Amino acid sequence: MGYAVKTAVICVGNELMLDDGLGIEAYRQLTASYDFPAEVDVQCAGCLTMNMVAQVDEYDLMLTVDAIDGTGEPAGTIFRYTPDDVARRGTPMGSLHELKLADLFDAAALLGYACEGVCVGMQVENGSPSEFVQGLTPAVLEKLPDLVDTVLAELVLRGCQVQVKATGELVAAGFHHTMVQVDDA
């Protein structure tokens, strides 16, 4: 049985800015540990840009994984929201990046493009260090498996069959990601 929803999992971040590199590390964990059906593209985007407008027309679902700040919750708290939930409600919570997913969807709508948008974000401890620093703070790194679980759960609940590379088993409800050592390439 195939997965009919054309999906982009877009992991966003800047790995030189501590916790802002959360999306990049989530990408590494996802691609090192799991095989996705052909209809799912897992992408490491760095930052969202208007060059991605055409992708809104190419996919049925864009699932963005990003570091967020300003929620008032402890570092490592995970949120699931739509682009409209943050951008149009006047809340300080949002991506650490200049271009928000809602901006991208608004621009795409002007061209007649549409797809469903879902964001999975984690409250960071420090996404704006005073100098370039790689790595995640301990509070965020500790919760990274939960963020990966949240991405996998979103896909599985939509009928996507994700396989664990090491064992071939299908990820199912209640699955828990185990961190893997990823060599930087």
Side-chain angles (χ1 to χ4, degrees):
M1 179 165 98
Y3 180 64
V5 178
K6 182 78 172 144
T7 301
V9 178
I10 303 172
C11 300
V12 180
N14 181 346
E15 67 182 329
L16 298 177
M17 299 296 285
L18 264 176
D19 290 342
D20 188 34
L22 173 67
I24 306 303
E25 189 56 37
Y27 169 82
R28 288 182 180 130
Q29 292 293 313
L30 287 164
T31 57
S33 300
Y34 306 98
D35 287 320
F36 297 89
E39 297 82 15
V40 177
D41 296 325
V42 182
Q43 304 174 17
C44 182
C47 293
L48 292 174
T49 70
M50 282 298 177
N51 292 338
M52 300 175 78
V53 168
Q55 285 190 335
V56 176
D57 196 40
E58 294 173 22
Y59 295 97
D60 301 308
L61 170 66
M62 291 179 78
L63 174 60
T64 305
V65 183
D66 199 0
I68 56 175
D69 202 6
T71 68
E73 297 298 325
T77 303
I78 297 170
F79 296 87
R80 180 199 181 276
Y81 52 97
T82 67
D84 287 341
D85 288 338
V86 174
R88 294 187 182 78
R89 296 189 191 220
T91 175
M93 179 180 83
S95 168
L96 296 174
H97 308 286
E98 291 297 317
L99 180 67
K100 293 177 176 57
L101 192 60
D103 300 330
L104 181 67
F105 276 65
D106 287 346
L110 291 173
L111 297 171
Y113 302 159
C115 77
E116 180 183 1
V118 173
C119 305
V120 175
M122 181 187 292
Q123 172 62 49
V124 297
E125 185 173 335
N126 185 346
S128 301
S130 58
E131 57 188 47
F132 293 134
V133 181
Q134 282 187 286
L136 301 175
T137 59
V140 170
L141 182 61
E142 179 184 336
K143 295 295 188 174
L144 181 59
D146 295 340
L147 181 68
V148 172
D149 286 348
T150 304
V151 172
L152 295 171
E154 184 74 35
L155 294 171
V156 168
L157 288 172
R158 292 169 176 270
C160 180
Q161 294 188 343
V162 179
Q163 280 189 306
V164 179
K165 283 186 179 183
T167 64
E169 80 176 288
L170 287 177
V171 173
F175 178 85
H176 293 289
H177 174 71
T178 302
M179 293 285 285
V180 295
Q181 179 66 38
V182 179
D183 295 326
D184 293 335

